[in-house]
Amino acid sequence: MAGERVIDPDCETVTFSVSNARPVESKALFALVDVEMKVAGVAFEILGVQARRGPGGTSIELPAIRDTGGTWRPAIRLPSELRKPLADAIVAYLLETGLARPRFADAVR
């Protein structure tokens, strides 16, 4: 798996490995990726993490499910200490694969 990033919170080392980037042609959604997350040596996968375009740049959204009332809810919740490092690892992977461009890349000549 490519795009590996490691963070070291107070208790355990958490490792993200991003892989399987799939381009999506949509107004805001432009890619889906899968993430393997290891916490204290135990690995689990988060499939279908969304990369979206917005007025502020790229945003990363965790998978969501529709509840019985029709409202979209997160399929997984992560502590705030993990959300930014996860988003950073995904954006770095998308830059490596060419699915995303650095901000202001067109302005630099």
Side-chain angles (χ1 to χ4, degrees):
M1 290 184 163
E4 187 170 295
R5 299 290 184 263
V6 178
I7 63 170
D8 191 10
D10 293 335
C11 298
E12 292 292 336
T13 297
V14 178
T15 304
F16 301 113
S17 297
V18 184
S19 66
N20 196 23
R22 286 125 23 231
V24 176
E25 294 188 30
S26 175
K27 183 177 181 180
L29 179 64
F30 70 91
L32 295 170
V33 298
D34 299 333
V35 176
E36 180 185 77
M37 184 179 211
K38 286 185 185 176
V39 181
V42 177
F44 61 95
E45 291 182 280
I46 306 171
L47 306 175
V49 179
Q50 301 176 10
R52 296 183 160 274
R53 292 180 192 93
T58 299
S59 67
I60 304 301
E61 305 281 333
L62 292 170
I65 57 171
R66 195 175 291 202
D67 67 16
T68 56
T71 303
W72 286 100
R73 305 264 183 219
I76 183 172
R77 289 195 175 117
L78 294 177
S80 59
E81 298 87 0
L82 297 179
R83 286 193 300 262
K84 174 132 176 47
L86 174 60
D88 291 346
I90 292 169
V91 169
Y93 178 74
L94 292 170
L95 289 167
E96 288 172 17
T97 62
L99 287 174
R101 291 180 294 152
R103 196 166 191 179
F104 308 116
D106 295 334
V108 179
R109 297 189 194 271

